[in-house]
Amino acid sequence: MIRSITCDQTSFKKIEFKPGFNVILAEREKESGEKESRNGLGKSTLIEIIHFCLGGNKGETLSKKNLENWTFTLNVDLAGKRYAVSRNTSGSSKVIIEGHCSDWPIKPEIDDETGKQVMSGKEW
């Protein structure tokens, strides 16, 4: 289960999910006119961030210059254990994993510089 999505940039608002069925909607104000759309509010970008954290390629939005060097973190439950999976838009070949991984078939390595558990995107 995805629990939350965070970012190291203060302009990004933490997104939290609850157990069960979650729906991503864009709110529309009562004063909104008939032609005011819900486009450009981040619904597709959120899906792109989840895809990216799960090992997918950066999409068009995450490749933009203004998102250079942003680190997104997906807080998730896998096999009954909690993990935080982080990926940086500039160093996207590495996935940083926080959590107990000793029982994984492919184990993360410890990064010499940071001391964090890392895997290549391909291994992840």
Side-chain angles (χ1 to χ4, degrees):
M1 175 184 145
I2 298 173
R3 294 202 168 264
S4 65
I5 300 167
T6 60
C7 182
D8 63 350
Q9 303 296 312
T10 57
S11 60
F12 184 88
K13 295 178 184 173
K14 180 179 181 179
I15 299 161
E16 294 185 272
F17 297 93
K18 298 190 183 325
F21 185 69
N22 290 263
V23 178
I24 306 300
L25 297 172
E27 287 188 58
R28 194 169 163 184
E29 301 295 325
K30 288 182 182 180
E31 301 81 32
S32 297
E34 196 174 301
K35 294 188 179 189
E36 292 180 84
S37 77
R38 294 178 178 98
N39 293 336
L41 297 176
K43 300 178 300 296
S44 296
T45 301
L46 177 62
I47 299 302
E48 193 174 320
I49 291 167
I50 293 169
H51 177 73
F52 178 65
C53 288
L54 291 175
N57 294 328
K58 279 192 296 185
E60 185 180 331
T61 303
L62 297 183
S63 297
K64 291 183 178 179
K65 184 127 177 96
N66 63 328
L67 294 179
E68 203 170 89
N69 205 31
W70 286 40
T71 301
F72 293 97
T73 301
L74 186 70
N75 295 289
V76 63
D77 291 348
L78 297 173
K81 296 179 185 171
R82 275 200 192 163
Y83 297 94
V85 179
S86 301
R87 221 166 154 202
N88 185 285
T89 56
S90 295
S92 62
S93 63
K94 252 195 309 193
V95 178
I96 300 167
I97 301 161
E98 294 176 45
H100 187 68
C101 305
S102 64
D103 57 346
W104 288 17
I106 300 173
K107 294 171 184 51
E109 296 177 3
I110 303 298
D111 185 275
D112 292 333
E113 290 178 31
T114 64
K116 294 183 178 183
Q117 298 180 114
V118 297
M119 296 181 93
S120 71
K122 185 176 183 178
E123 289 173 325
W124 171 243

